Amino acid sequence: MKKVRTRIPPSPTGMFHVGSLRTALFDYLFAKKTGGDFLLRIEDTDRERLVAGATENIVESLYWAHIPPDEGVMLSDKNEIVQSGDVGPYIQSERLDIYKIYSEQLLEQGDAYYCFCTKERLDDLRKMQELNKQPTGYDGQCKTLSKEVVKEKRDAGTSHVVRLNMPDEGVTTWNDMVRGEVSFENKLIDDQVLMKADGFPTYHLAVIVDDHLMNITHIFRGEEWLSSTPKHIVLYHMFGWDIPEYAHLSLLVNEKKQKLSKRHGDVSVFDFTKKGYLPEAMVNFVAFLGWNPGTDQEIFTLEELVAAFDFKNVHKSPAVFNYEKLDWYNKEWMKKLPVEELAVRVKPFFVDSGVDAGRLEDQTFFEGVVRLGRERANTLQDIVSNTQFLFADTLEYETELLKWKKSDLKSAKEKLTQISEFLSTMSDGEWSEEGVEHSVLAWIKNKDYGVGDVLWPTRVALSGQQFSPGPFEIMSVLGKEKSLARIGEGIARITT
Ligand code: GLU
């Protein structure tokens, strides 16, 4: 058996899409499961659609997700983009000479022909076909040009492309790993352009030449490529090459069953990294877009995914990208990570938020912040927004907020003063969430105060917020000194 080799060949035309991440993940899982290789190739032959920085974004997204390629376009130890492997280059614009050789072979074999039709003619042709309700496509006018005419036109420097001489008869069939047997009638397939007038190959020629020369055994891609596959298989036959296995993965849709698109929400991996989704959660969630393990298990590490992944459980029905489910995965993974690790992941988000960097150096304080912030957070970004009040020098809030239900500010002041006195008698050793909670509740009971009468103003004085974590959690993170200072500020606000 040949060594399994899979590839992700994105075009650098924008930010790496979550759909491409799903394909790359399936490539990765399948390669790792079978002891094979996973390659990254950059398909940049469509020069008009290139976007600066897109290649970097593709590479970084794969490394972020912990599914780096084994070969192809990679990151060096110094985080620079490099190419590595025996069958490169792995960037198509650096392989133009190679495509030329194969295009010439097809021309010689009569499997391709020169086409000199102008854009105007092709536009008119399409308009006519549309008007007559005929399928659109090239009508083959240049297919029958004599060798002499072709030579004459080429010698005269007439702009031209090279087209696939698609057979008019027969059926092209393959056994898709997801869809089973798929067939297309050859006569319905267009004479695809293989080489453009600018000397660049089209996707169709470049992809098959590269997949063949790079010894790719399995091709996984989105179902939008389904109608391209018969053209590719015909080309493989023309060259006499082994045909790889194909799996066309289902479309990603949103809950309204619309194709996932930028217009309706986040779609690039970068959108999600920026908001603070963990790679573990993203990969776990994305694995379930079209696949399931056949059991109830939902949380999977990457290693567990490698072990469990099987194309038998990949489905062809559209996969719904449920943003709430992604939040659930992220929450689960934020709980699952040790707090020290979560602190490392969330730190850059705190730095970006502009909090005093010095405070982040105090490890005990910072881990306390993270532990408290993750309770009500879906994302790393939420941890930051949930805990901004812990970093504030002074809290901004309406004094009225200190008032508990039907009680008044006078009572709030009295309770705050008393609890402050009580808390100041506690030793540093007793100052933990449980320690403070235990002592304060006993004190309240002893005084026969209402719990809300004491804890509401205390919590507001500590957080400055209507809704926040509980007072004991906050006090344990802030420490005694800071907690007393905030309660003191609360008391000072009340002038009645
Ligand atoms: N360059 C194509 C893309 O951008 C690759 C499709 C394929 O996997 O063959 O998705």
Side-chain angles (χ1 to χ4, degrees):
M1 266 253 300
K2 266 203 222 161
K3 186 178 193 190
V4 165
R5 283 170 63 86
T6 61
R7 82 322 185 242
I8 184 80
S11 301
T13 53
M15 296 290 190
F16 197 55
H17 192 279
V18 283
S20 304
L21 181 68
R22 192 259 311 251
T23 308
L25 178 62
F26 286 15
D27 283 322
Y28 176 91
L29 296 176
F30 189 76
K32 295 296 137 182
K33 183 152 188 156
T34 49
D37 300 325
F38 165 52
L39 281 76
L40 169 61
R41 181 173 72 227
I42 297 294
E43 300 207 331
D44 59 346
T45 56
D46 190 346
R47 309 306 287 172
E48 277 158 30
R49 293 181 57 226
L50 296 188
V51 168
T55 297
E56 289 76 0
N57 182 265
I58 292 163
V59 180
E60 280 159 15
S61 298
L62 292 177
Y63 279 77
W64 173 82
H66 304 301
I67 53 169
D70 300 301
E71 190 178 315
V73 181
M74 309 181 57
L75 278 185
S76 72
D77 298 343
K78 292 189 200 112
N79 265 355
E80 282 156 353
I81 295 202
V82 291
Q83 297 189 47
S84 161
D86 297 335
V87 286
Y90 297 89
I91 298 179
Q92 287 187 330
S93 56
E94 297 174 20
R95 298 172 63 80
L96 299 185
D97 294 348
I98 302 175
Y99 307 125
K100 201 157 175 273
I101 297 171
Y102 289 98
S103 157
E104 274 162 15
Q105 181 181 337
L106 289 174
L107 286 162
E108 264 164 45
Q109 290 174 189
D111 288 326
Y113 58 90
Y114 289 105
C115 171
F116 300 91
C117 291
T118 59
K119 184 174 175 305
E120 291 68 40
R121 173 169 192 271
L122 297 175
D123 286 347
D124 287 348
L125 177 66
R126 201 191 51 248
K127 274 184 216 143
M128 280 303 279
Q129 289 167 332
E130 280 169 358
L131 215 65
N132 296 334
K133 304 216 167 4
Q134 288 169 334
T136 54
Y138 187 60
D139 61 356
Q141 176 171 278
C142 290
K143 200 157 140 170
T144 47
L145 292 182
S146 69
K147 277 203 174 98
E148 294 69 37
V149 174
V150 168
K151 186 173 181 311
E152 219 172 87
K153 285 185 183 281
R154 288 187 64 214
D155 287 349
T158 313
S159 173
H160 61 269
V161 299
V162 175
R163 283 185 187 273
L164 169 66
N165 190 355
M166 188 68 200
D168 295 328
E169 283 160 16
V171 175
T172 298
T173 302
W174 76 94
N175 199 4
D176 196 272
M177 288 168 76
V178 176
R179 277 146 221 278
E181 196 175 285
V182 184
S183 298
F184 281 83
E185 271 191 73
N186 292 343
K187 68 168 184 280
L188 300 179
I189 300 170
D190 202 12
D191 281 0
Q192 183 68 52
V193 174
L194 299 176
M195 277 294 214
K196 295 181 278 188
D198 62 3
F200 275 77
T202 58
Y203 156 70
H204 302 281
L205 178 66
V207 77
I208 67 125
V209 167
D210 290 349
D211 284 338
H212 171 71
L213 295 180
M214 294 178 187
N215 304 314
I216 300 301
T217 56
H218 293 75
I219 293 180
F220 309 150
R221 58 186 175 204
E223 72 175 282
E224 64 273 27
W225 299 103
L226 206 58
S227 63
S228 298
T229 304
K231 298 173 194 169
H232 300 178
I233 291 181
V234 162
L235 282 163
Y236 276 102
H237 284 306
M238 289 169 169
F239 284 117
W241 294 338
D242 285 348
I243 298 168
E245 297 290 335
Y246 284 97
H248 289 86
L249 309 177
S250 61
L251 211 62
L252 299 190
V253 294
N254 64 18
E255 262 144 316
K256 290 184 192 146
K257 302 272 180 285
Q258 295 157 320
K259 193 172 167 215
L260 212 59
S261 107
K262 255 201 275 212
R263 273 177 294 131
H264 303 122
D266 294 329
V267 290
S268 80
V269 175
F270 184 67
D271 289 332
F272 294 101
T273 60
K274 216 170 48 189
K275 287 204 169 143
Y277 286 89
L278 295 169
E280 288 86 346
M282 196 73 204
V283 159
N284 196 158
F285 168 75
V286 163
F288 275 77
L289 296 175
W291 169 83
N292 70 63
T295 65
D296 289 342
Q297 186 180 345
E298 290 195 277
I299 300 294
F300 281 82
T301 61
L302 189 57
E303 293 70 35
E304 288 169 334
L305 285 174
V306 170
F309 189 74
D310 190 333
F311 260 95
K312 275 212 304 279
N313 294 329
V314 175
H315 306 289
K316 64 177 179 204
S317 44
V320 180
F321 193 100
N322 179 333
Y323 289 86
E324 278 167 31
K325 189 73 189 183
L326 173 59
D327 282 349
W328 178 83
Y329 271 110
N330 209 45
K331 230 176 155 62
E332 289 298 311
W333 271 100
M334 288 199 301
K335 272 195 259 166
K336 200 169 143 74
L337 285 191
V339 77
E340 311 84 78
E341 176 60 21
L342 190 58
V344 172
R345 309 281 190 98
V346 73
K347 200 167 186 171
F349 290 83
F350 275 100
V351 173
D352 285 350
S353 79
V355 299
D356 174 7
R359 309 268 341 253
L360 304 176
E361 299 308 314
D362 177 347
Q363 198 60 18
T364 317
F365 167 71
F366 186 48
E367 283 177 15
V369 169
V370 173
R371 195 175 289 116
L372 195 145
R374 80 167 154 190
E375 281 173 27
R376 291 161 191 80
N378 289 331
T379 62
L380 299 176
Q381 199 65 66
D382 290 346
I383 298 184
V384 177
S385 33
N386 288 351
T387 57
Q388 284 296 300
F389 71 96
L390 294 167
F391 292 87
D393 288 331
T394 40
L395 298 176
E396 310 271 339
Y397 61 95
E398 294 289 331
T399 306
E400 285 290 305
L401 197 57
L402 289 162
K403 210 171 72 182
W404 167 243
K405 289 195 172 164
K406 293 209 173 81
S407 182
D408 54 24
L409 282 175
K410 194 158 159 282
S411 157
K413 183 164 188 163
E414 194 185 296
K415 302 297 182 304
L416 286 173
T417 311
Q418 290 190 27
I419 198 170
S420 167
E421 275 164 23
F422 174 70
L423 290 169
S424 55
T425 64
M426 285 183 70
S427 68
D428 285 344
E430 288 171 293
W431 201 273
S432 64
E433 187 183 330
E434 298 73 32
V436 180
E437 177 166 6
H438 184 257
S439 311
V440 169
L441 290 180
W443 177 82
I444 293 176
K445 196 159 178 225
N446 190 3
K447 291 270 183 186
D448 210 13
Y449 288 150
V451 174
D453 284 317
V454 179
L455 295 189
W456 176 270
T458 307
R459 193 190 57 70
V460 171
L462 290 163
S463 68
Q465 293 177 343
Q466 185 166 14
F467 306 105
S468 76
F472 307 119
E473 291 172 273
I474 303 177
M475 281 195 268
S476 86
V477 176
L478 285 179
K480 186 173 164 184
E481 198 184 321
K482 201 127 200 147
S483 301
L484 285 173
R486 288 197 175 182
I487 295 173
E489 282 157 26
I491 297 169
R493 278 170 168 266
I494 306 173
T495 48
T496 45

